Amino acid sequence: MSFKAAFARIFGAGKPATEKSAPLGSARRKGGSAMEQGFLVFEQTGDVISAERLLRKQGFAVEVKAPPAALRKGCDMVVVCPIMAHLKIRALLEKEGLHPLDYVPVSDPLLAPVSLFQVTDFGKWFMVRAANMKVTVEKESGRIVNVSGGGCPDVPYLAGLLLGKSLDEADEPRLYGKTLCSYALQRAFEEAKRVWRG
């Protein structure tokens, strides 16, 4: 089932995205109904990655997150961006051949995208998951003890480069990987560094 079809099935086809429902946190300004953020939905994860790179290069404040839990299908990602910049962003993407399926303003808690990362504490170790890629690290030394997940052909190679090395000495996966899994592994690697350094 496509993202659009799932969205329509769960929330009702043709339902206005700006319906009067309470937004998350400070999304609704006092005295008005302006929402600050929404997310772009794409057909393929590769388009999300390309859109993120392009928009950041152009100076837009965007972030890749997981879609709302009710609409998640596995390795999905969406691009979160300011609602005020939506039209400019969409025009830029279309010009570069990237065609979002939809733009969804965050007008309801059920529509809020969530962090791409999940961190699990195992006592002496912690694991960071980004999409379907997971990196497990020894807390005391920062040594990478396991890399798992994904189904891309470069995952075993990348895992071999990371295993046994500390987060400070290991090369970033993006230097060697070219697949969607390597992108997710890079994000997990970056988050693991952030968590380990506190």
Side-chain angles (χ1 to χ4, degrees), residues 161-177:
L161 294 176
L162 295 174
L163 285 173
K165 294 185 178 177
S166 75
L167 290 167
D168 281 336
E169 68 181 13
D171 288 335
E172 296 189 352
R174 66 180 178 83
L175 298 176
Y176 305 98

Side-chain angles (χ1 to χ4, degrees), residues 52 56 116-117 126 128 130 135 162 167 172-174 182-197:
E52 179 200 23
R56 285 192 174 177
L116 190 65
F117 309 111
F126 69 90
V128 175
V135 175
L162 295 174
L167 290 167
E172 296 189 352
R174 66 180 178 83
S182 67
Y183 172 84
L185 183 58
Q186 173 69 26
R187 299 299 300 272
F189 178 80
E190 291 169 352
E191 182 66 4
K193 269 189 171 182
R194 188 193 68 76
V195 170
W196 182 58
R197 290 171 178 170

Side-chain angles (χ1 to χ4, degrees), residues 4 7 19-20 25 29 36 42 45 52 60 63 72 74 77 82 85 122 125 133-134 139 153 170 174 192:
K4 268 189 155 180
F7 185 90
E19 213 172 46
K20 292 182 180 178
R29 298 188 184 96
E36 293 179 353
F42 292 86
T45 309
E52 179 200 23
F60 288 100
E63 190 176 0
R72 207 170 309 150
M77 292 184 275
F122 293 113
W125 308 272
M133 292 304 302
K134 299 178 280 291
K139 289 180 183 177
R174 66 180 178 83

Side-chain angles (χ1 to χ4, degrees), residues 29-80:
R29 298 188 184 96
K30 288 184 179 178
S33 60
M35 291 164 292
E36 293 179 353
Q37 294 205 319
F39 57 89
L40 290 159
V41 179
F42 292 86
E43 184 85 48
Q44 300 181 26
T45 309
D47 292 339
V48 171
I49 297 169
S50 298
E52 179 200 23
R53 287 179 181 156
L54 173 64
L55 294 173
R56 285 192 174 177
K57 188 176 179 182
Q58 295 297 319
F60 288 100
V62 299
E63 190 176 0
V64 173
K65 289 194 171 186
L71 302 179
R72 207 170 309 150
K73 295 179 295 181
C75 197
D76 294 306
M77 292 184 275
V78 295
V79 176
V80 179

